[in-house]
C-alpha cells in the first residue's frame, strides 16, 4: 500500500523536482518534513543533491539505486555540523546538571541551604532521566528527530532562564535543573541515533564516541571553570546568566540549522524504517541479549558513577577534596583522548565491538582491584591510588560507546534512541540506588561493594553477553554482494513481513 501511495504522490510531483534543494511542491506537501531546517533553502549546498519525499516506507522500491542495484547511499559533509550541534547541547546540559557540585560552598551561602540540598541537584537529573526517556522515544517516533532535538534544546534553555529569574530561591533552581534534566536522554543516549542517521557504517562507532564523550567536556569545564568564576556567593548570578545565554544561543542554532536526516541515507541499514514505539517495546521485551547487556552495563556504570559523585567522602581521610577534584579532572581528559583514539581504531574492527567491550571491563576490573589493595593492604599515595582511579574510570568510560552500539546492533530495527535510552535509564536507576546507599554503609564497605560489583559485571560480560550484529550484517552484506536484493529476508535479520511494506 505504501508503495502504491508513494508512486501516486510522485506522479503529482512530476516535473516539480529540484536538482539541489527540495522543490516547493514537496515542501508544501510535507510541511513537517524532518529533512528541512529553517535555513535549508539558503544552505542547500551543504546537503548535496536531494530529492523530494512524501512518505518514508519501510523500503521504497523506487528509491534511487546505484549501478549494482543497491539502494543509493550518500555521505554529506553536513554530518559533522550536526554532530557538533549535538555535542554543544550535550556540553551545555551537563554544565547545568553537574555545575553546582563544583561550587558547594558558594551555592550553600547563596541559597542559604545545607549540603544535602546541593547534592539533590545531581540526583534530580538522574530522577528526571527515567520518565523523560520514554517521552523522548515517543516524540522521535511520532514527530521525528528535528522536532524532538529542537524541543529538548528549548527545554534546556528554558531551565537555564528559570534559574536566573529565581535568584536566591532554590526551588526555582530545582525547576530549572529538572527541565534541563528532561534533555538528559538525548545527550546521553542520542549519540548512536545521530551516528546511524548521518554517518556511514564505517564511521558509526567514531561518531558515537565523539558525541558520547562530549558530555565529559561539560563535566570537565564544571570542575575547572566554575571554581575560578564563582569564588563567593555574589559571583553565582554571573555564572547563571552566562549559562542561560549560552543555552539560548544553542537553541537558536538548533532551530535554524539542525536537520533531522539527510536527503539520501548514508548506509543500507539506514534505509530500513525502524519499529514503531509500541512494536519496539514488545521486541525489546523479548530480546534476552539486550537485557543482559543493559543489566551488566547499567549496574556497573551506575555503581561507578554513584561512587564518583561522592568520591571525596569515600576516600576520606586519606585524600582531601582538592586531590579528588584533580583525579576527576584527569579522568575526564584521559577519557576524551582515549575515546577519540579507540573510535578511530574501531573503524578497522567493525566485527569486534563485543571483544572491545569485554576488554574495557577486564582492564577496569584489574584497576579497581589494585585500588582496593593500595587503599587497605599496601601504602596509599596520591600517585598509586590516583593512577588506579584515573585508569580504571577511563577504561570503563570507553565501554559506553561500545554498549550503545552493541545495543543498537542486537535490537535492530528498533530505533537507536529507544534501545540506548533504556540502556542509560538502567544506568541512572543504579546511580540513584547507589547514592541512597551512602547513608547505610561506611567508606571501606562502599569501596569494596564498588570493586566487587564491577568485577562481577566484567565476568558476566565475558561469559554470557553475545549480541548479534543485525544492523552491521545488512551493511556488510550489501557491500560484499554485487547485486543484492533490497534487504530481503535472505540478507536481513529482520523477518520479511517487517522489512518490505
Amino acid at each position: 500500500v505504501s508503495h502504491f501511495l508513494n508512486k501516486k504522490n510522485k506522479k503529482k510531483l512530476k516535473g516539480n523536482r529540484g536538482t539541489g534543494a527540495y522543490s516547493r511542491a514537496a515542501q508544501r506537501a510535507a510541511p513537517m518534513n524532518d529533512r528541512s531546517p529553517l535555513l535549508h533553502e539558503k544552505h542547500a549546498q551543504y546537503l548535496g543533491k536531494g530529492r523530494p519525499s512524501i512518505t518514508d516506507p519501510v523500503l521504497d522500491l523506487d528509491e534511487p539505486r546505484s549501478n549494482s542495484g543497491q539502494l543509493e547511499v550518500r555521505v554529506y559533509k553536513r554530518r559533522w555540523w550536526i554532530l557538533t550541534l549535538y555535542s554543544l547541547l550535550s556540553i551545555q546540559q551537563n554544565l547545568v546538571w553537574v555545575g553546582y557540585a563544583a561550587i558547594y560552598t558558594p551555592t550553600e551561602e547563596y541559597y542559604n541551604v545545607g549540603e544535602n540540598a546541593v547534592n539533590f541537584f545531581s540526583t534530580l537529573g538522574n530522577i528526571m532521566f527515567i520518565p523523560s526517556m520514554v517521552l523522548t522515544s515517543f516524540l522521535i517516533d511520532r514527530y521525528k528527530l528535528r522536532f524532538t532535538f529542537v524541543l529538548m534544546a528549548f527545554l534546556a534553555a528554558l531551565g537555564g532562564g528559570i534559574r536566573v529569574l529565581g535568584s536566591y530561591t532554590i526551588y526555582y533552581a530545582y525547576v530549572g535543573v529538572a527541565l534541563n534534566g528532561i534533555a538528559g536522554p538525548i545527550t546521553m543516549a542520542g549519540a548512536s541515533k545521530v551516528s546511524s542517521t548521518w554517518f556511514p557504517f564505517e564511521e558509526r562507532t567514531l561518531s558515537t564516541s565523539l558525541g558520547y564523550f562530549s558530555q565529559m567536556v561539560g563535566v570537565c569545564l564544571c570542575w575547572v571553570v566554575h571554581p575560578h568564576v564563582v569564588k563567593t556567593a555574589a559571583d553565582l548570578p554571573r555564572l547563571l546568566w552566562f549559562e542561560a545565554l549560552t543555552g539560548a544561543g544553542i537553541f537558536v542554532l538548533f532551530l535554524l540549522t539542525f536537520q533531522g536526516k539527510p536527503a539520501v541515507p548514508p548506509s543500507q541499514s539506514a534505509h530500513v524504517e525502524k519499529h514503531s514505539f509500541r512494536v519496539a517495546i514488545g521486541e525489546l521485551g523479548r530480546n534476552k541479549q539486550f537485557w543482559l547487556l543493559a543489566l551488566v552495563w547499567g549496574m556497573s556504570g551506575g555503581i561507578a558513577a554513584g561512587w564518583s559523585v561522592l568520591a571525596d567522602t569515600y576516600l576520606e581521610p586519606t585524600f582531601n577534596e582538592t586531590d579528588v577534584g584533580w583525579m576527576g579532572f584527569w579522568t575526564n581528559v584521559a577519557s576524551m583522548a582515549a575515546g577519540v583514539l579507540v573510535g578511530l581504531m574501531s573503524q578497522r574492527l567493525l566485527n569486534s565491538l563485543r571483544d572491545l567491550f569485554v576488554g574495557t571491563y577486564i582492564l577496569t576490573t584489574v584497576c579497581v582491584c589494585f585500588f582496593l589493595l593500595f587503599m587497605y593492604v599496601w601504602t596509599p599515595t596520591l600517585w598509586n591510588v590516583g593512577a588506579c582511579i584515573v585508569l580504571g574510570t577511563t577504561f570503563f568510560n570507553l565501554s559506553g560507546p561500545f554498549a550503545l552500539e552493541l545495543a543498537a546492533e542486537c535490537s535492530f530495527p528498533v530505533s537507536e534512541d529507544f534501545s540506548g535510552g533504556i540502556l542509560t535509564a538502567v544506568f541512572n536507576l543504579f546511580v540513584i540506588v547507589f547514592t541512597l546507599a551512602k547513608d547505610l554503609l561506611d567508606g571501606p564497605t562502599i569501596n569494596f561493594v564498588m570493586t566487587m560489583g564491577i568485577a562481577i559485571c566484567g565476568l558476566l560480560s565475558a561469559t554470557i553477553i553475545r549480541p548479534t550484529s543485525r544492523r552491521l550484517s545488512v551493511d556488510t552484506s550489501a557491500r560484499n554482494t554485487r547485486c543484492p536484493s533490497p534487504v530481503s529476508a535472505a540478507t536481513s535479520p529482520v523477518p520479511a513481513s517487517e522489512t518490505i511494506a
Side-chain angles (χ1 to χ4, degrees):
V1 173
S2 62
H3 172 58
F4 171 76
L5 293 176
N6 194 44
K7 290 184 66 177
K8 186 176 180 181
N9 286 327
K10 285 183 177 180
K11 287 181 180 179
K12 293 180 181 179
L13 295 176
K14 189 175 181 180
N16 292 325
R17 295 186 178 185
T19 57
Y22 297 116
S23 64
R24 295 186 180 275
Q27 291 184 2
R28 286 195 298 269
M32 294 300 293
N33 197 321
D34 200 38
R35 300 168 179 168
S36 302
L38 297 184
L39 294 186
H40 174 74
E41 293 187 9
K42 283 188 177 182
H43 299 277
Q45 66 269 23
Y46 292 108
L47 300 175
K49 292 183 178 180
R51 61 183 185 84
S53 176
I54 305 302
T55 61
D56 287 313
V58 177
L59 273 178
D60 186 358
L61 300 182
D62 288 335
E63 287 275 4
R65 296 177 182 276
S66 63
N67 295 331
S68 64
Q70 299 176 7
L71 294 172
E72 182 181 352
V73 297
R74 191 175 299 167
V75 179
Y76 300 89
K77 292 181 180 180
R78 188 180 178 87
R79 70 191 188 277
W80 296 111
W81 172 245
I82 299 298
L83 183 62
T84 300
L85 277 179
Y86 172 83
S87 300
L88 289 174
L89 178 60
S90 180
I91 292 170
Q92 170 67 16
Q93 198 268 342
N94 279 273
L95 273 173
V96 176
W97 186 356
V98 191
Y100 289 108
I103 46 175
Y104 265 103
T105 303
T107 304
E108 291 175 357
E109 296 175 356
Y110 185 77
Y111 292 113
N112 194 24
V113 294
E115 182 179 351
N116 290 332
V118 179
N119 286 333
F120 186 67
F121 281 113
S122 299
T123 308
L124 184 59
N126 299 114
I127 294 173
M128 293 300 300
F129 188 98
I130 298 174
S132 60
M133 181 276 297
V134 179
L135 173 65
T136 300
S137 299
F138 172 77
L139 290 175
I140 291 178
D141 176 63
R142 180 66 179 84
Y143 298 104
K144 306 306 178 186
L145 207 63
R146 169 174 162 77
F147 175 85
T148 307
F149 272 63
V150 171
L151 176 61
M152 294 304 159
F154 170 74
L155 291 176
L158 180 62
I162 290 177
R163 291 194 311 162
V164 173
L165 298 177
S167 299
Y168 301 102
T169 305
I170 197 169
Y171 297 106
Y172 282 95
Y174 282 151
V175 173
V177 172
L179 289 173
N180 179 78
I182 297 177
I186 287 292
T187 60
M188 192 171 183
S192 59
K193 180 66 175 178
V194 173
S195 65
S196 67
T197 304
W198 279 94
F199 287 81
F201 70 93
E202 299 93 344
E203 296 179 353
R204 278 199 297 243
T205 305
L206 172 62
S207 56
T208 300
S209 299
L210 294 174
Y212 181 83
F213 285 109
S214 63
Q215 58 186 321
M216 296 190 179
V217 177
V219 176
C220 240
L221 291 175
C222 285
W223 293 101
V224 174
V225 176
H226 285 190
H228 293 283
V229 175
V230 183
K231 297 181 179 180
T232 64
D235 298 328
L236 187 56
R238 181 173 56 182
L239 176 67
L240 298 181
W241 270 108
F242 174 78
E243 292 182 348
L245 294 175
T246 304
I250 293 174
F251 164 67
V252 172
L253 287 176
F254 264 86
L255 181 64
L256 297 180
T257 66
F258 186 80
Q259 184 181 350
K261 59 182 177 182
V264 179
S267 63
Q268 296 290 320
S269 60
H271 280 276
V272 180
E273 184 180 348
K274 303 302 188 293
H275 283 323
S276 66
F277 185 70
R278 290 183 178 180
V279 176
I281 294 175
E283 287 292 325
L284 288 185
R286 296 187 295 268
N287 195 326
K288 295 181 180 179
Q289 282 296 319
F290 172 80
W291 286 108
L292 287 174
L293 176 66
L295 180 62
V296 168
W297 186 76
M299 182 172 69
S300 57
I303 291 173
W307 182 89
S308 63
V309 170
L310 300 171
D312 56 335
T313 304
Y314 303 141
L315 294 177
E316 289 179 348
T318 308
F319 303 102
N320 55 35
E321 291 185 2
T322 303
D323 296 333
V324 176
W326 279 109
M327 292 179 191
F329 170 77
W330 288 113
T331 294
N332 288 302
V333 172
S335 297
M336 289 183 287
V340 175
L341 178 62
V342 172
L344 291 171
M345 292 174 55
S346 63
Q347 295 184 80
R348 301 178 179 273
L349 303 170
L350 295 175
N351 294 313
S352 303
L353 283 181
R354 178 190 173 274
D355 297 334
L356 294 171
F357 179 75
V358 173
T360 59
Y361 267 90
I362 293 174
L363 294 173
T364 303
T365 302
V366 172
C367 291
V368 295
C369 288
F370 272 103
F371 159 75
L372 206 63
L373 291 174
F374 280 124
M375 281 294 294
Y376 302 110
V377 178
W378 301 327
T379 303
T381 66
L382 180 61
W383 291 102
N384 55 33
V385 174
C388 291
I389 292 176
V390 170
L391 291 176
T393 310
T394 299
F395 289 136
F396 180 79
N397 287 338
L398 290 176
S399 69
F402 298 144
L404 292 176
E405 288 295 297
L406 287 174
E409 292 289 344
C410 71
S411 62
F412 182 81
V414 172
S415 182
E416 292 83 1
D417 61 277
F418 191 48
S419 60
I422 292 182
L423 206 70
T424 49
V426 176
F427 176 98
N428 281 272
L429 181 62
F430 277 99
V431 171
I432 296 172
V433 172
F434 195 82
T435 303
L436 295 176
K438 69 181 179 64
D439 296 327
L440 304 176
L441 304 173
D442 57 4
T445 306
I446 286 286
N447 292 334
F448 179 78
V449 170
M450 182 268 296
T451 302
M452 294 306 300
I454 293 177
I456 292 173
C457 289
L459 178 63
L460 293 176
S461 69
T463 54
I464 66 174
I465 295 182
R466 299 186 181 276
T468 55
S469 299
R470 297 180 178 181
R471 185 180 60 173
L472 183 62
S473 65
V474 173
D475 295 315
T476 54
S477 62
R479 182 183 64 177
N480 297 330
T481 305
R482 184 173 182 178
C483 295
S485 59
V487 198
S488 62
T491 58
S492 172
V494 189
S497 61
E498 298 177 3
T499 305
I500 300 179

